């Protein structure tokens, strides 16, 4: 018997942005779905526009599991996680322990397939980087949504994420931002009028 999927089902109970006032709360499960959709798109963009040969399906699958260890660790806020190099290094150790704990729950015959999904040390670097970019885009989109709702709590995070995205060397990221992000600054009526 494996408890893996009973644990994964609890992703919906882990709230993101725990130190921030949220107009609308976001959980790890819904965040992971959005990251998967963006990662899938980034792979398609990279392939069609920039000569890469990534699997959009693999990118989406990696993204689905990218925060699975938070079932054990919770979502540690970025200002805490990166407060200093010592805390960051220790958190990486905690994260690795949590990832390996999840991998231990996988039946032996499937561990090889799940190792690259559940543990950073076994992740394919190309997909890890792509999913990190998708994760950053989704965090930025959350900031835009909160801003549109009149919540200034996310302004500093938005600026930090804008800088991070502008420094991202992947041209697929900039393409995604130019093509898809402006709509997040519009209301539903404006979006519908553009169709």
């Amino acid at each position: 018997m494996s408890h893996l999927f009973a644990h994964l089902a609890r992703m919906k109970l882990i709230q993101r942005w725990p130190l921030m006032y949220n107009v609308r709360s976001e959980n790890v499960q819904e965040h992971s779905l959005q990251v998967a959709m963006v990662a899938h798109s980034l792979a398609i963009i990279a392939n069609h526009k920039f000569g890469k040969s990534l699997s959009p399906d693999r990118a989406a699958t990696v993204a689905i599991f990218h925060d699975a260890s938070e079932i054990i660790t919770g979502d540690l806020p970025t200002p805490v996680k990166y407060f200093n190099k010592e805390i960051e290094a220790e958190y990486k150790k905690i994260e690795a322990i949590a990832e390996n704990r999840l991998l231990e729950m996988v039946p032996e015959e499937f561990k090889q397939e799940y190792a690259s999904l559940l543990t950073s040390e076994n992740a394919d670097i190309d997909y890890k980087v792509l999913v990190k970019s998708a994760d950053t885009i989704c965090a930025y989109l959350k900031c835009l949504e909160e801003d549109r709702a009149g919540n200034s709590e996310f302004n500093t995070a938005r600026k930090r994420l804008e800088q991070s995205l502008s420094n991202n060397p992947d041209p697929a990221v900039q393409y995604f931002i130019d093509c898809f992000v402006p709509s997040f600054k519009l209301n539903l009526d404006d979006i519908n009028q553009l169709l």
Side-chain angles (χ1 to χ4, degrees), residues 34-35 37-43 45-46 49-50 133-134 137-138 140-141 165 170-184:
Q34 186 181 34
V35 173
M37 291 187 290
V38 172
H40 186 271
S41 179
L42 288 176
I45 294 165
K49 302 296 272 178
F50 303 107
S133 294
I137 289 170
C138 292
Y140 178 63
L141 296 177
L165 290 168
D170 183 353
V173 169
Q174 191 58 52
Y175 184 97
F176 184 96
I177 291 168
D178 292 343
C179 186
F180 297 110
V181 171
S183 295
F184 282 83

Side-chain angles (χ1 to χ4, degrees), residues 4 10 14 28 50 58 66 71 93 101 109 122 128 131 151 174:
L4 177 66
R10 293 176 177 268
I14 309 297
V28 172
F50 303 107
R58 181 68 181 169
H66 84 282
I71 298 159
K93 291 177 190 174
R101 176 69 184 108
E109 61 195 308
N122 293 305
K128 187 176 182 179
V131 169
N151 182 8
Q174 191 58 52

Side-chain angles (χ1 to χ4, degrees), residues 160-170 174:
R160 178 181 50 79
L161 291 162
E162 282 173 351
Q163 186 63 48
S164 176
L165 290 168
S166 71
N167 292 336
N168 191 308
D170 183 353
Q174 191 58 52

Side-chain angles (χ1 to χ4, degrees), residues 7-183:
H7 275 282
L8 293 175
R10 293 176 177 268
M11 288 171 71
K12 64 183 166 281
L13 303 176
I14 309 297
Q15 296 302 308
R16 291 178 42 80
W17 307 92
L19 293 180
M20 310 277 278
Y21 168 73
N22 287 255
V23 170
R24 185 194 166 285
S25 63
E26 177 184 58
N27 65 56
V28 172
Q29 189 173 60
E30 64 188 320
H31 166 71
S32 296
L33 173 62
Q34 186 181 34
V35 173
M37 291 187 290
V38 172
H40 186 271
S41 179
L42 288 176
I44 290 171
I45 294 165
N47 293 345
H48 286 268
K49 302 296 272 178
F50 303 107
K52 300 282 185 165
S53 57
L54 296 165
S55 165
D57 295 342
R58 181 68 181 169
T61 303
V62 170
I64 288 168
F65 291 92
H66 84 282
D67 278 342
S69 66
E70 291 183 4
I71 298 159
I72 295 170
T73 65
D75 181 31
L76 191 64
T78 297
V80 176
K81 194 184 303 186
Y82 300 109
F83 181 74
N84 63 37
K85 292 295 178 191
E86 293 81 20
I87 289 175
E88 182 180 355
E90 291 305 312
Y91 184 73
K92 291 289 181 195
K93 291 177 190 174
I94 293 167
E95 199 171 50
I97 291 167
E99 290 171 352
N100 284 307
R101 176 69 184 108
L102 287 174
L103 186 58
E104 288 169 10
M105 294 178 198
V106 176
E108 197 61 43
E109 61 195 308
F110 308 127
K111 277 194 175 148
Q112 184 176 351
E113 285 85 355
Y114 279 93
S116 64
L117 297 173
L118 294 175
T119 61
S120 298
E121 67 183 336
N122 293 305
D124 179 311
I125 190 65
D126 290 335
Y127 292 102
K128 187 176 182 179
V129 169
L130 184 137
V131 169
K132 180 61 180 165
S133 294
D135 190 38
T136 303
I137 289 170
C138 292
Y140 178 63
L141 296 177
K142 168 66 172 166
C143 292
L144 293 180
E145 290 172 349
E146 289 290 326
D147 185 58
R148 281 210 20 77
N151 182 8
S152 62
E153 181 83 6
F154 285 74
N155 286 352
T156 302
R158 179 184 46 77
K159 290 173 188 171
R160 178 181 50 79
L161 291 162
E162 282 173 351
Q163 186 63 48
S164 176
L165 290 168
S166 71
N167 292 336
N168 191 308
D170 183 353
V173 169
Q174 191 58 52
Y175 184 97
F176 184 96
I177 291 168
D178 292 343
C179 186
F180 297 110
V181 171
S183 295

